[in-house]
Amino acid sequence: MLSNDCIFCKIIKGEIPSTKVYEDDKMLVFKDIEPKARVHLLAVAKTHFKLLEEANAEGRGLVDYMLFKIPEIARQNGCENGYRLIINQGADAGQTVFHLHIHILGGKELPW
Ligand code: 5GP
Ligand code: ZN
């Protein structure tokens, strides 16, 4: 289920443009609009939920599926030497979009 007032759901529905690098029936990966690294992608499941703790069985399966798919997607998009995954959860983490997403950061050695 997608939401009507969520930026990432609108991107999934094509109502907001994005630079897509991978898409299938379960997930979409697109370039972050404000990259924090040479390569900065966002992986989102095609189901709206805000936080890991809100994921039902389907949502948990989608997180698992994304983690399974990300290595090849990262490698094909300039992260041959490694990458970092970040999932911000809530206000203290600075989460700004409340549709669970996995940041994929890489392209050169990252400062910790
Ligand atoms: P958060 O801080 O919630 O973990 O990350 C949200 C990310 O979404 C940020 O890195 C921000 O730059 C990105 N973002 C916000 N709005 C848009 C948008 O409309 N398009 C794209 N491609 N990225 C967005
Ligand atoms: Zn959403």
Side-chain angles (χ1 to χ4, degrees), residues 58-112:
E58 185 208 2
R60 291 194 296 275
L62 288 168
V63 173
D64 185 48
Y65 178 76
M66 289 197 287
L67 292 174
F68 168 71
K69 296 294 282 186
I70 280 172
E72 189 183 353
I73 296 166
R75 200 165 46 245
Q76 289 176 344
N77 286 279
C79 298
E80 298 82 0
N81 293 319
Y83 54 90
R84 181 173 297 153
L85 302 182
I86 294 176
I87 308 179
N88 289 324
Q89 295 289 279
D92 277 3
Q95 186 176 4
T96 56
V97 179
F98 288 88
H99 177 129
L100 189 114
H101 51 281
I102 304 174
H103 294 260
I104 304 166
L105 298 156
K108 67 171 191 174
E109 197 173 340
L110 299 163
W112 178 234

Side-chain angles (χ1 to χ4, degrees), residues 3 6 8-9 48 99:
S3 154
C6 164
F8 288 173
C9 283
H48 180 87
H99 177 129

Side-chain angles (χ1 to χ4, degrees), residues 8 11-12 14 16-23 28-35 39-44 73 77:
F8 288 173
I11 286 176
I12 291 165
I16 293 177
S18 67
T19 306
K20 299 176 184 182
V21 304
Y22 177 81
E23 183 167 21
L28 173 66
V29 183
F30 55 97
K31 293 188 180 179
D32 196 293
I33 205 166
E34 242 181 79
V39 176
H40 188 172
L41 306 174
L42 298 170
V44 295
I73 296 166
N77 286 279

